Amino acid sequence: MQHTDWQTITMGKFTLRIRPYTLTMRHVFTVASFSRTTTPVVLTELTYEGITGYGEASMPPYLGESQQSVISFLQKVDLSPFTSPFQTQEILTYVDGIATKNTAAKAAIDIALHDLLGKLMGQPFYKIWGLNPADIPATSFTIGIDTQDMIRKKVTEAAEFKILKVKLGLDSDKMIIDTIRSVTDVPLCADINQGWTDKERALEMAHWLAERGVVFLEQPMPKEQLEDNAWLTERSPIPTIADEGCQRYTDIAALQGVYSGINIKLMKCTGMREAKKMAELARALKMKVMLGCMTETSCAISAAAQLAPLVDWADLDGALLIANDIFQGMEVKDGYCYLPDQAGIGLVKSTTS
């Protein structure tokens, strides 16, 4: 898959290019429900009047998308009725209506369109949105479930980060936290990935984790257990954040009171346009906002980072977890995100890709 040729689709004034690509993980990546060493993605390029915007669809297993399903969706996209990329609302509403779900495929168009628009305007998208990159919180770095020796190694490698995200949800939870605490005392956020099923045990763990410097719980129990999650949120000493339980804008209102906040990911919500709307709605509902990612290249990471000034917590380490990124964009230095002052989403593409 690495060297599959680009497929080109001409649509009136627009040209869409599509290519599957496989990301290689630096370490085996383990969460409560699975382990993997690669992530399939599909890269997109959207060209209008000689200007090209870059996009990406990333497909971790639980999204239910594959390279083939994304390519099949993208082959249905026909932008020939549109005369300008500035018809953004109409274009993205049309793309969203082609089929249900397929959110990563839709994000690949959305990101490329925003990159293209920013380049046409000659401005980074965070400036177009009027956001200040100095407001971006420190990004967390993810420590997957592993052996004690590997956890210590990963934590040591992540010494520059001001906050670590820890994958929990198995019987090894306390061992993992104790192992991390033997190496560092930086704040932690705990991502349970729906791994806890008993609310009483979840509350007991919430207190135990809070005493050890964990600042919030991400998706503590299965998303179907709405009443249990609400019960936990009401009693937990630290905030609870919906991840698997919050996919799109229309999910948010029903989650007020069930969780303290939401985790927005471009691959879940169809891209930058809807992600910004989600952040604004959550804020209006007095909910916390986290901005997350999948394992992605710097393309999708840099796209998400454009709206990072709006959020309480950033988890934008996806490109740092892979060994074969083909873009340069948003950079992490000393645990903080730095957006390049470049038009669009700020990407430079590798000349070898």
Side-chain angles (χ1 to χ4, degrees), residues 8-27:
T8 302
I9 305 169
T10 302
M11 307 171 288
K13 293 190 173 186
F14 296 90
T15 301
L16 177 65
R17 297 178 75 221
I18 308 165
R19 185 177 80 150
Y21 187 67
T22 300
L23 304 181
T24 304
M25 309 294 292
R26 292 186 185 276
H27 295 293

PDB file of all heavy atoms in Angstrom, residues 8-27:
ATOM      1  N   THR A   8      -6.593   9.984  -9.962  1.00  0.00           N
ATOM      2  CA  THR A   8      -7.006  11.360 -10.231  1.00  0.00           C
ATOM      3  C   THR A   8      -8.437  11.403 -10.754  1.00  0.00           C
ATOM      4  O   THR A   8      -8.805  10.654 -11.668  1.00  0.00           O
ATOM      5  CB  THR A   8      -6.057  12.008 -11.270  1.00  0.00           C
ATOM      6  OG1 THR A   8      -4.719  11.963 -10.756  1.00  0.00           O
ATOM      7  CG2 THR A   8      -6.444  13.454 -11.529  1.00  0.00           C
ATOM      8  N   ILE A   9      -9.248  12.293 -10.143  1.00  0.00           N
ATOM      9  CA  ILE A   9     -10.650  12.471 -10.544  1.00  0.00           C
ATOM     10  C   ILE A   9     -10.844  13.939 -10.886  1.00  0.00           C
ATOM     11  O   ILE A   9     -10.640  14.816 -10.037  1.00  0.00           O
ATOM     12  CB  ILE A   9     -11.613  12.060  -9.413  1.00  0.00           C
ATOM     13  CG1 ILE A   9     -11.337  10.623  -8.950  1.00  0.00           C
ATOM     14  CG2 ILE A   9     -13.065  12.218  -9.864  1.00  0.00           C
ATOM     15  CD1 ILE A   9     -12.059  10.228  -7.675  1.00  0.00           C
ATOM     16  N   THR A  10     -11.229  14.218 -12.125  1.00  0.00           N
ATOM     17  CA  THR A  10     -11.482  15.598 -12.554  1.00  0.00           C
ATOM     18  C   THR A  10     -12.964  15.907 -12.420  1.00  0.00           C
ATOM     19  O   THR A  10     -13.817  15.136 -12.898  1.00  0.00           O
ATOM     20  CB  THR A  10     -11.010  15.804 -14.002  1.00  0.00           C
ATOM     21  OG1 THR A  10      -9.615  15.479 -14.078  1.00  0.00           O
ATOM     22  CG2 THR A  10     -11.198  17.255 -14.437  1.00  0.00           C
ATOM     23  N   MET A  11     -13.272  17.048 -11.748  1.00  0.00           N
ATOM     24  CA  MET A  11     -14.667  17.415 -11.469  1.00  0.00           C
ATOM     25  C   MET A  11     -14.846  18.901 -11.788  1.00  0.00           C
ATOM     26  O   MET A  11     -14.716  19.741 -10.892  1.00  0.00           O
ATOM     27  CB  MET A  11     -15.000  17.151 -10.003  1.00  0.00           C
ATOM     28  CG  MET A  11     -14.693  15.751  -9.514  1.00  0.00           C
ATOM     29  SD  MET A  11     -14.877  15.603  -7.726  1.00  0.00           S
ATOM     30  CE  MET A  11     -13.450  16.529  -7.152  1.00  0.00           C
ATOM     31  N   GLY A  12     -15.119  19.236 -13.028  1.00  0.00           N
ATOM     32  CA  GLY A  12     -15.289  20.638 -13.389  1.00  0.00           C
ATOM     33  C   GLY A  12     -14.027  21.426 -13.093  1.00  0.00           C
ATOM     34  O   GLY A  12     -12.946  21.115 -13.612  1.00  0.00           O
ATOM     35  N   LYS A  13     -14.148  22.434 -12.244  1.00  0.00           N
ATOM     36  CA  LYS A  13     -13.002  23.280 -11.913  1.00  0.00           C
ATOM     37  C   LYS A  13     -12.089  22.645 -10.862  1.00  0.00           C
ATOM     38  O   LYS A  13     -11.037  23.200 -10.538  1.00  0.00           O
ATOM     39  CB  LYS A  13     -13.483  24.652 -11.419  1.00  0.00           C
ATOM     40  CG  LYS A  13     -14.163  25.478 -12.500  1.00  0.00           C
ATOM     41  CD  LYS A  13     -14.396  26.904 -12.023  1.00  0.00           C
ATOM     42  CE  LYS A  13     -14.908  27.783 -13.161  1.00  0.00           C
ATOM     43  NZ  LYS A  13     -15.006  29.208 -12.744  1.00  0.00           N
ATOM     44  N   PHE A  14     -12.493  21.517 -10.303  1.00  0.00           N
ATOM     45  CA  PHE A  14     -11.742  20.854  -9.231  1.00  0.00           C
ATOM     46  C   PHE A  14     -11.111  19.564  -9.731  1.00  0.00           C
ATOM     47  O   PHE A  14     -11.672  18.865 -10.575  1.00  0.00           O
ATOM     48  CB  PHE A  14     -12.659  20.515  -8.045  1.00  0.00           C
ATOM     49  CG  PHE A  14     -13.249  21.702  -7.343  1.00  0.00           C
ATOM     50  CD1 PHE A  14     -14.468  22.231  -7.760  1.00  0.00           C
ATOM     51  CD2 PHE A  14     -12.601  22.292  -6.275  1.00  0.00           C
ATOM     52  CE1 PHE A  14     -15.027  23.326  -7.115  1.00  0.00           C
ATOM     53  CE2 PHE A  14     -13.148  23.381  -5.622  1.00  0.00           C
ATOM     54  CZ  PHE A  14     -14.362  23.906  -6.050  1.00  0.00           C
ATOM     55  N   THR A  15      -9.943  19.242  -9.158  1.00  0.00           N
ATOM     56  CA  THR A  15      -9.327  17.933  -9.377  1.00  0.00           C
ATOM     57  C   THR A  15      -9.042  17.311  -8.011  1.00  0.00           C
ATOM     58  O   THR A  15      -8.454  17.961  -7.134  1.00  0.00           O
ATOM     59  CB  THR A  15      -8.015  18.052 -10.166  1.00  0.00           C
ATOM     60  OG1 THR A  15      -8.281  18.660 -11.421  1.00  0.00           O
ATOM     61  CG2 THR A  15      -7.396  16.674 -10.395  1.00  0.00           C
ATOM     62  N   LEU A  16      -9.480  16.067  -7.825  1.00  0.00           N
ATOM     63  CA  LEU A  16      -9.245  15.340  -6.576  1.00  0.00           C
ATOM     64  C   LEU A  16      -8.294  14.190  -6.847  1.00  0.00           C
ATOM     65  O   LEU A  16      -8.515  13.396  -7.773  1.00  0.00           O
ATOM     66  CB  LEU A  16     -10.563  14.802  -6.016  1.00  0.00           C
ATOM     67  CG  LEU A  16     -10.477  13.961  -4.746  1.00  0.00           C
ATOM     68  CD1 LEU A  16      -9.966  14.798  -3.562  1.00  0.00           C
ATOM     69  CD2 LEU A  16     -11.839  13.354  -4.404  1.00  0.00           C
ATOM     70  N   ARG A  17      -7.226  14.114  -6.061  1.00  0.00           N
ATOM     71  CA  ARG A  17      -6.301  12.990  -6.154  1.00  0.00           C
ATOM     72  C   ARG A  17      -6.370  12.198  -4.851  1.00  0.00           C
ATOM     73  O   ARG A  17      -6.464  12.778  -3.757  1.00  0.00           O
ATOM     74  CB  ARG A  17      -4.868  13.472  -6.407  1.00  0.00           C
ATOM     75  CG  ARG A  17      -4.706  14.212  -7.725  1.00  0.00           C
ATOM     76  CD  ARG A  17      -3.286  14.717  -7.903  1.00  0.00           C
ATOM     77  NE  ARG A  17      -2.362  13.633  -8.253  1.00  0.00           N
ATOM     78  CZ  ARG A  17      -1.133  13.510  -7.763  1.00  0.00           C
ATOM     79  NH1 ARG A  17      -0.669  14.347  -6.851  1.00  0.00           N
ATOM     80  NH2 ARG A  17      -0.353  12.525  -8.161  1.00  0.00           N
ATOM     81  N   ILE A  18      -6.307  10.865  -4.963  1.00  0.00           N
ATOM     82  CA  ILE A  18      -6.511   9.958  -3.828  1.00  0.00           C
ATOM     83  C   ILE A  18      -5.392   8.927  -3.811  1.00  0.00           C
ATOM     84  O   ILE A  18      -5.034   8.372  -4.855  1.00  0.00           O
ATOM     85  CB  ILE A  18      -7.855   9.203  -3.962  1.00  0.00           C
ATOM     86  CG1 ILE A  18      -9.025  10.158  -4.194  1.00  0.00           C
ATOM     87  CG2 ILE A  18      -8.108   8.327  -2.741  1.00  0.00           C
ATOM     88  CD1 ILE A  18     -10.281   9.445  -4.678  1.00  0.00           C
ATOM     89  N   ARG A  19      -4.863   8.649  -2.610  1.00  0.00           N
ATOM     90  CA  ARG A  19      -3.857   7.592  -2.519  1.00  0.00           C
ATOM     91  C   ARG A  19      -3.895   6.921  -1.146  1.00  0.00           C
ATOM     92  O   ARG A  19      -3.854   7.599  -0.113  1.00  0.00           O
ATOM     93  CB  ARG A  19      -2.449   8.154  -2.729  1.00  0.00           C
ATOM     94  CG  ARG A  19      -1.383   7.050  -2.764  1.00  0.00           C
ATOM     95  CD  ARG A  19       0.009   7.590  -3.040  1.00  0.00           C
ATOM     96  NE  ARG A  19       0.614   8.140  -1.845  1.00  0.00           N
ATOM     97  CZ  ARG A  19       1.931   8.154  -1.606  1.00  0.00           C
ATOM     98  NH1 ARG A  19       2.771   7.643  -2.482  1.00  0.00           N
ATOM     99  NH2 ARG A  19       2.416   8.684  -0.516  1.00  0.00           N
ATOM    100  N   PRO A  20      -3.981   5.577  -1.096  1.00  0.00           N
ATOM    101  CA  PRO A  20      -3.860   4.883   0.193  1.00  0.00           C
ATOM    102  C   PRO A  20      -2.413   4.911   0.684  1.00  0.00           C
ATOM    103  O   PRO A  20      -1.474   4.914  -0.117  1.00  0.00           O
ATOM    104  CB  PRO A  20      -4.315   3.457  -0.126  1.00  0.00           C
ATOM    105  CG  PRO A  20      -4.064   3.290  -1.587  1.00  0.00           C
ATOM    106  CD  PRO A  20      -4.212   4.645  -2.211  1.00  0.00           C
ATOM    107  N   TYR A  21      -2.258   4.938   1.987  1.00  0.00           N
ATOM    108  CA  TYR A  21      -0.920   4.984   2.598  1.00  0.00           C
ATOM    109  C   TYR A  21      -1.038   4.306   3.962  1.00  0.00           C
ATOM    110  O   TYR A  21      -2.081   4.390   4.620  1.00  0.00           O
ATOM    111  CB  TYR A  21      -0.493   6.455   2.751  1.00  0.00           C
ATOM    112  CG  TYR A  21       0.932   6.677   3.222  1.00  0.00           C
ATOM    113  CD1 TYR A  21       2.014   6.328   2.425  1.00  0.00           C
ATOM    114  CD2 TYR A  21       1.186   7.265   4.456  1.00  0.00           C
ATOM    115  CE1 TYR A  21       3.322   6.557   2.843  1.00  0.00           C
ATOM    116  CE2 TYR A  21       2.486   7.507   4.892  1.00  0.00           C
ATOM    117  CZ  TYR A  21       3.549   7.152   4.081  1.00  0.00           C
ATOM    118  OH  TYR A  21       4.838   7.382   4.504  1.00  0.00           O
ATOM    119  N   THR A  22       0.004   3.611   4.381  1.00  0.00           N
ATOM    120  CA  THR A  22      -0.041   2.904   5.665  1.00  0.00           C
ATOM    121  C   THR A  22       0.968   3.515   6.626  1.00  0.00           C
ATOM    122  O   THR A  22       2.161   3.598   6.314  1.00  0.00           O
ATOM    123  CB  THR A  22       0.244   1.399   5.483  1.00  0.00           C
ATOM    124  OG1 THR A  22      -0.743   0.846   4.613  1.00  0.00           O
ATOM    125  CG2 THR A  22       0.186   0.676   6.828  1.00  0.00           C
ATOM    126  N   LEU A  23       0.475   3.953   7.772  1.00  0.00           N
ATOM    127  CA  LEU A  23       1.340   4.530   8.797  1.00  0.00           C
ATOM    128  C   LEU A  23       1.946   3.412   9.644  1.00  0.00           C
ATOM    129  O   LEU A  23       1.243   2.481  10.051  1.00  0.00           O
ATOM    130  CB  LEU A  23       0.547   5.478   9.698  1.00  0.00           C
ATOM    131  CG  LEU A  23      -0.197   6.610   8.997  1.00  0.00           C
ATOM    132  CD1 LEU A  23      -0.906   7.484  10.026  1.00  0.00           C
ATOM    133  CD2 LEU A  23       0.752   7.446   8.149  1.00  0.00           C
ATOM    134  N   THR A  24       3.228   3.516   9.942  1.00  0.00           N
ATOM    135  CA  THR A  24       3.924   2.544  10.784  1.00  0.00           C
ATOM    136  C   THR A  24       4.133   3.146  12.165  1.00  0.00           C
ATOM    137  O   THR A  24       4.672   4.247  12.296  1.00  0.00           O
ATOM    138  CB  THR A  24       5.302   2.196  10.171  1.00  0.00           C
ATOM    139  OG1 THR A  24       5.102   1.718   8.837  1.00  0.00           O
ATOM    140  CG2 THR A  24       6.000   1.127  10.999  1.00  0.00           C
ATOM    141  N   MET A  25       3.698   2.429  13.200  1.00  0.00           N
ATOM    142  CA  MET A  25       3.817   2.932  14.573  1.00  0.00           C
ATOM    143  C   MET A  25       5.258   2.782  15.079  1.00  0.00           C
ATOM    144  O   MET A  25       5.937   1.798  14.775  1.00  0.00           O
ATOM    145  CB  MET A  25       2.886   2.154  15.508  1.00  0.00           C
ATOM    146  CG  MET A  25       1.449   2.049  15.026  1.00  0.00           C
ATOM    147  SD  MET A  25       0.591   3.614  14.976  1.00  0.00           S
ATOM    148  CE  MET A  25       0.481   3.975  16.719  1.00  0.00           C
ATOM    149  N   ARG A  26       5.701   3.756  15.863  1.00  0.00           N
ATOM    150  CA  ARG A  26       7.038   3.658  16.477  1.00  0.00           C
ATOM    151  C   ARG A  26       7.091   2.532  17.511  1.00  0.00           C
ATOM    152  O   ARG A  26       8.116   1.875  17.679  1.00  0.00           O
ATOM    153  CB  ARG A  26       7.411   4.988  17.141  1.00  0.00           C
ATOM    154  CG  ARG A  26       7.637   6.114  16.143  1.00  0.00           C
ATOM    155  CD  ARG A  26       8.133   7.363  16.852  1.00  0.00           C
ATOM    156  NE  ARG A  26       8.234   8.477  15.925  1.00  0.00           N
ATOM    157  CZ  ARG A  26       9.262   8.727  15.137  1.00  0.00           C
ATOM    158  NH1 ARG A  26      10.303   7.908  15.149  1.00  0.00           N
ATOM    159  NH2 ARG A  26       9.267   9.773  14.336  1.00  0.00           N
ATOM    160  N   HIS A  27       5.997   2.349  18.249  1.00  0.00           N
ATOM    161  CA  HIS A  27       5.876   1.257  19.214  1.00  0.00           C
ATOM    162  C   HIS A  27       4.546   0.557  18.972  1.00  0.00           C
ATOM    163  O   HIS A  27       3.615   1.160  18.429  1.00  0.00           O
ATOM    164  CB  HIS A  27       5.891   1.779  20.662  1.00  0.00           C
ATOM    165  CG  HIS A  27       7.172   2.426  21.093  1.00  0.00           C
ATOM    166  ND1 HIS A  27       8.351   1.727  21.228  1.00  0.00           N
ATOM    167  CD2 HIS A  27       7.456   3.710  21.431  1.00  0.00           C
ATOM    168  CE1 HIS A  27       9.307   2.549  21.633  1.00  0.00           C
ATOM    169  NE2 HIS A  27       8.788   3.764  21.767  1.00  0.00           N
TER     170      HIS A  27
END
